[in-house]
Amino acid sequence: MQNGSDDDADMKARLARLASDLQARRDVETAEERRRSDAGPDKSLGRAMSLGFRVLTEFVSAAVVGALIGWLLDRWLGTTPWLLVLLTGFGVAAGFNNVYRMAAKTPTSRDGDPPPRQ
């Protein structure tokens, strides 16, 4: 019987230590989240503008590359303007697909950790 009560006391001590470690981790994460939110609107505005320019660049570049390839193939094959129109449409679709994939990504913090749950 003595061995069983020692195991129970040891288990309770380990659980208490684990609970205190978890609480300390939560406190650190809460403090870090407060620090990030206190960074101000300037930082979030910069991130939003960066993302907006990236979306614009992805979309426009896909459409322009499709149009350029279509124009070159039309000149080479003599099918003006069908390949230009077709490949411009494919470029626009690829641009939409790129923008959709960027929007569908789950947000992560800078160090790659997922954002904290609310």
Side-chain angles (χ1 to χ4, degrees):
M1 278 292 174
Q2 184 68 11
N3 191 14
S5 64
D6 286 343
D7 288 342
D8 287 344
D10 184 44
M11 182 66 76
K12 286 180 183 180
R14 288 175 36 196
L15 284 173
R17 190 171 51 242
L18 178 62
S20 67
D21 289 347
L22 285 173
Q23 186 60 40
R25 175 71 179 177
R26 285 187 195 122
D27 292 342
V28 167
E29 287 177 357
T30 302
E32 187 174 327
E33 187 63 33
R34 279 194 200 123
R35 182 186 55 80
R36 284 184 189 161
S37 66
D38 291 342
D42 294 335
K43 195 171 189 179
S44 63
L45 177 63
R47 285 184 183 165
M49 287 181 64
S50 173
L51 181 62
F53 284 128
R54 183 172 171 213
V55 165
L56 178 68
T57 302
E58 289 277 344
F59 183 74
V60 170
S61 64
V64 167
V65 166
L68 182 63
I69 292 172
W71 179 72
L72 288 172
L73 286 175
D74 270 339
R75 287 188 52 155
W76 185 50
L77 298 173
T79 57
T80 304
W82 300 111
L83 289 177
L84 172 67
V85 171
L86 180 69
L87 291 178
T88 300
F90 283 152
V92 168
F96 275 122
N97 187 32
N98 289 342
V99 170
Y100 174 75
R101 285 188 300 156
M102 278 195 302
K105 282 184 183 176
T106 57
T108 58
S109 65
R110 281 220 180 267
D111 53 356
D113 294 335
R117 293 184 196 177
Q118 299 293 331

